[in-house]
Amino acid sequence: MSLIINTLIISFILLVTQIHVANNNISEVSPRKRISDRKGNIVRRYQDQRAHQIRIMSDPKKLICLVSLGCHDRTQSSNQEKALSWFASRKVPHTIVDGMDGEQRDRRNKLFDISGIRGNYPQFFFEYEDGTINFFGSFDKIDQLNETSSLPADVLSQHPEVETWDKSFSSCVESFS
């Protein structure tokens, strides 16, 4: 019994010593100040990133849909059909790149390189006036946008960070001319 008590006392003394040493090694800035500085940096980075995303979303862009018209996977075929019908019904201008078309192989491979995803259809990209192409997402992202667009306006106004169909595709153009 006394061995257990002695072990506990020694453990406690070591712990107190480690805490004392750690406290003496910490800079003069209070822990609350360090935490608030970190939070401030995180918030600023998020705000900068979000502002960049909003600016990019409002820039004129062309929507590129990478599909495979010869796809034998039922899920991928169904997802392609749904996405393309959503774009057509909402009159979103878009360009289709058929991954099975031999004449479009180079463009398909370039898009695969940008997304980092090969052989999974559909994929969606934005092309900007300066020629840069960014991967927007796969069918799951389009499906999510379709669902968030049906949220009530008051909910969307309380959460401006929520991406919607209109925010993402309202600045899509047929061409830059």
Side-chain angles (χ1 to χ4, degrees):
M1 182 72 148
S2 66
L3 180 62
I4 294 173
I5 294 174
N6 286 340
T7 305
L8 287 173
I9 292 172
I10 291 172
S11 297
F12 178 75
I13 292 171
L14 287 174
L15 180 64
V16 169
T17 304
Q18 288 174 348
I19 291 171
H20 179 71
V21 169
N23 284 340
N24 287 335
N25 290 336
I26 293 177
S27 67
E28 297 301 317
V29 179
S30 73
R32 282 199 164 158
K33 175 71 173 144
R34 282 194 314 273
I35 290 171
S36 66
D37 286 348
R38 274 186 269 155
K39 283 182 182 178
N41 288 336
I42 290 169
V43 168
R44 275 189 294 284
R45 277 197 327 248
Y46 172 77
Q47 288 171 337
D48 291 345
Q49 177 191 15
R50 192 69 189 133
H52 175 70
Q53 287 173 336
I54 290 169
R55 184 183 53 75
I56 286 177
M57 294 318 265
S58 63
D59 288 347
K61 57 191 171 275
K62 288 194 263 184
L63 175 63
I64 302 170
C65 303
L66 176 60
V67 299
S68 177
L69 299 178
C71 185
H72 298 294
D73 183 292
R74 287 184 184 181
T75 302
Q76 289 185 23
S77 291
S78 172
N79 291 346
Q80 288 176 166
E81 290 173 21
K82 282 181 195 174
L84 293 175
S85 69
W86 291 336
F87 291 132
S89 68
R90 292 184 171 161
K91 296 178 178 47
V92 176
H94 58 280
T95 304
I96 295 177
V97 174
D98 181 8
M100 293 292 287
D101 184 359
E103 293 177 10
Q104 295 182 331
R105 180 175 293 146
D106 290 338
R107 187 135 195 232
R108 176 202 68 190
N109 288 339
K110 180 181 177 184
L111 295 174
F112 280 160
D113 289 342
I114 292 169
S115 71
I117 303 168
R118 294 189 75 79
N120 189 6
Y121 300 98
Q123 296 181 32
F124 305 96
F125 302 83
F126 288 131
E127 181 178 4
Y128 297 92
E129 272 186 284
D130 64 1
T132 59
I133 298 175
N134 291 337
F135 177 61
F136 180 67
S138 61
F139 176 76
D140 292 336
K141 178 133 186 188
I142 302 299
D143 190 35
Q144 179 185 13
L145 290 175
N146 195 43
E147 290 180 20
T148 58
S149 294
S150 63
L151 291 173
D154 62 324
V155 171
L156 292 173
S157 66
Q158 292 172 4
H159 298 281
E161 73 279 2
V162 173
E163 288 184 84
T164 63
W165 195 272
D166 292 334
K167 287 179 187 176
S168 299
F169 301 115
S170 63
S171 62
C172 285
V173 295
E174 192 79 37
S175 68
F176 296 119
S177 55

